[in-house]
Amino acid sequence: MATIWLIDHYVTTPGTGIGGRHFQVARALASRGHKVVVIAARSHHMLHKEVDRDNLPHVESLFGFDFVRLDTFPYSGAHDKRRILAWLFFATRLWLRRKSIGPRPDAILYVWPQPFGFVAAAWIAKVFKARLALEVRDLWPSTLVEIGNISEKHPFIVLLKWLEKWSVKRADAVVSNLEGADGHLATLGMDRTKFHWIPNGITVADVNKPSPLADHIAVQIPENGLRIVYTGTLGAANALETLIDAIALLDNVYDVAVIIIGEGSAQGFLKMRCKELRLGNVHFLGAIPKSQIQSALRHADVCFIGWKDVSLYKWGIGANKIPEYLYSGKPILHCYSGNFDPIQKFSAGVTVPAENPSALAEAIRLLYTMPLKQREQMGKNGRRAALEYYDYERLAGELEHVMIN
């Protein structure tokens, strides 16, 4: 068995955040007998607001692996420029504490898009003669340029592009949750034989026994009609305004309700848009714990996910909600104009072009009038795909092969 360091600036535990991809991967690798050390920042914007960050232990033992927190520079949110200082502090602490973090690693997985820490990880891998894998789960800086509207000539973007090229060449292996990311990374000089697609997934034991939905949330969900549910971040990239504008076009369909579960920077705008359009059938329920997501989706007739119409998505998508939606057994309404569409691939719902309210409204009418058995079959297709391709126990085995062999 091997000692594996998993370095992700933003990874959380179920007690401090969502306990997502890398928490679950670490848990699965530890169950396979490996010594796993997860290394994260003590303070970052992905932690829950109510967490007392000052009292989090430096080292915590969870599900057979060690969770190590490094002190970093504090900042207030995702768009706070001091976040860059936090990256630099993290990279410095990672290098300085390399001998005290944990047992000498045989393999290191470093998670991008925190760019500066990879430099420290590469030095550590060289010192310890460890295999070094880079996980690219967001195509920075392309995301900042295409969605954040930052100029390609901005000095920070130029620096990130240089680090991106250096990183994919330096890594012994490259992993991504984006199926087509090798097409982009190859243009940076990556050898395609180093690439491995490992999507985001679900831990079946967890999603199969979700926590009950809180009463004050459940009571707000309509009992009848076609209920379209969205769960996740309310941000610009999620294109929820397309859904709201589509609902406004359904003036002759009265029993369709949209249930939006989550919080984010676009929440105020979306509520204002609903008010302008006089929509009384769009319900904002706020955020819920990740452990309640499947309970919420049991109230859905359709799950919604939307994207911006940008060229970035020609490399694929990797939202956490995709395997969650697939597992729910409900048809998925997908607004997407990119490539590698899992909804189409598994016949798990209906896909329409991104940022096209008219096409989305027609898709809602289609689902509204569709025989129940046909919608149920889409849901069954999705559930089958989730169990066959997206179980973290299986995905951890793929990562184990990348890291150890």
Side-chain angles (χ1 to χ4, degrees):
M1 294 295 111
T3 297
I4 301 172
W5 285 13
L6 197 163
I7 307 171
D8 179 358
H9 189 117
Y10 301 109
V11 68
T12 62
T13 71
T16 63
I18 65 171
R21 174 183 176 92
H22 297 103
F23 177 86
Q24 300 296 348
V25 165
R27 177 178 167 183
L29 288 172
S31 72
R32 290 170 174 262
H34 299 292
K35 175 62 179 177
V36 180
V37 180
V38 176
I39 305 164
R42 170 177 289 277
S43 175
H44 56 80
H45 68 283
M46 299 299 289
L47 292 167
H48 286 164
K49 296 178 181 178
E50 67 269 19
V51 168
D52 184 355
R53 300 173 182 176
D54 293 334
N55 292 326
L56 291 173
H58 280 284
V59 181
E60 188 176 2
S61 294
L62 300 161
F63 296 97
F65 66 89
D66 290 338
F67 194 100
V68 178
R69 297 180 175 92
L70 302 181
D71 292 320
T72 58
F73 193 88
Y75 64 99
S76 60
H79 303 291
D80 187 337
K81 293 181 180 179
R82 292 176 298 178
R83 183 178 174 187
I84 299 170
L85 291 177
W87 289 350
L88 292 169
F89 269 63
F90 182 85
T92 302
R93 295 282 164 81
L94 181 62
W95 171 251
L96 293 176
R97 289 195 56 194
R98 65 190 181 280
K99 294 181 180 179
S100 61
I101 283 175
R104 181 188 184 109
D106 299 302
I108 297 173
L109 176 68
Y110 185 87
V111 181
W112 186 275
Q114 205 281 47
F116 302 121
F118 182 79
V119 178
W123 290 344
I124 292 170
K126 184 174 182 179
V127 169
F128 290 139
K129 298 181 180 179
R131 180 170 171 79
L132 177 63
L134 171 67
E135 179 171 312
V136 179
R137 65 180 185 185
D138 196 348
L139 297 180
W140 277 38
S142 298
T143 300
L144 297 176
V145 173
E146 295 203 31
I147 296 180
N149 295 318
I150 301 177
S151 171
E152 290 185 346
K153 297 180 181 180
H154 190 287
F156 183 59
I157 299 299
V158 173
L159 174 61
L160 287 181
K161 283 186 175 181
W162 182 87
L163 282 170
E164 185 184 27
K165 289 181 180 180
W166 181 81
S167 298
V168 298
K169 292 178 182 178
R170 174 65 183 80
D172 298 310
V174 178
V175 173
S176 182
N177 59 342
L178 306 175
E179 188 172 357
D182 59 325
H184 167 72
L185 300 174
T187 66
L188 305 178
M190 181 196 73
D191 180 351
R192 283 181 183 263
T193 63
K194 297 197 300 186
F195 181 80
H196 305 268
W197 174 53
I198 301 179
N200 288 334
I202 52 170
T203 298
V204 174
D206 292 344
V207 295
N208 195 39
K209 295 181 179 179
S211 300
L213 196 61
D215 290 342
H216 73 280
I217 296 292
V219 73
Q220 298 180 66
I221 300 176
E223 295 183 0
N224 302 308
L226 186 76
R227 297 165 297 180
I228 303 172
V229 174
Y230 172 86
T231 63
T233 303
L234 279 56
N238 307 108
L240 285 164
E241 66 274 15
T242 304
L243 177 58
I244 289 171
D245 289 347
I247 294 298
L249 297 175
L250 298 174
D251 51 3
N252 59 341
V253 180
Y254 301 103
D255 54 346
V256 172
V258 173
I259 297 95
I260 297 177
I261 298 175
E263 296 178 345
S265 60
Q267 184 169 332
F269 165 77
L270 295 171
K271 287 184 175 181
M272 182 62 68
R273 183 63 175 159
C274 289
K275 186 175 181 180
E276 290 173 354
L277 296 172
R278 298 181 180 180
L279 298 178
N281 57 343
V282 179
H283 310 273
F284 293 85
L285 306 191
I288 64 174
K290 187 176 179 67
S291 62
Q292 296 180 15
I293 292 296
Q294 289 299 320
S295 294
L297 295 179
R298 288 175 181 173
H299 292 270
D301 297 295
V302 176
C303 301
F304 173 80
I305 180 170
W307 307 85
K308 291 291 188 180
D309 184 10
V310 295
S311 63
L312 177 69
Y313 298 132
K314 65 184 176 182
W315 312 118
I317 46 177
N320 287 312
K321 64 174 62 61
I322 290 175
E324 293 172 348
Y325 282 1
L326 291 171
Y327 182 82
S328 75
K330 304 299 175 70
I332 300 170
L333 184 56
H334 197 202
C335 286
Y336 181 60
S337 296
N339 297 327
F340 306 99
D341 179 3
I343 312 310
Q344 286 187 333
K345 178 179 180 179
F346 300 118
S347 300
V350 177
T351 297
V352 298
E355 298 191 85
N356 188 325
S358 297
L360 181 55
E362 289 304 311
I364 294 172
R365 287 193 179 95
L366 173 65
L367 289 165
Y368 180 81
T369 58
M370 183 180 291
L372 180 59
K373 286 187 176 180
Q374 191 173 345
R375 290 210 313 254
E376 288 178 341
Q377 186 58 55
M378 290 179 177
K380 290 177 181 178
N381 294 342
R383 171 68 73 92
R384 188 182 307 115
L387 294 172
E388 186 172 350
Y389 298 104
Y390 292 91
D391 182 359
Y392 270 127
E393 289 293 333
R394 176 184 180 277
L395 298 175
E398 295 182 17
L399 183 60
E400 179 183 47
H401 180 77
V402 172
M403 300 296 294
I404 308 304
N405 298 330

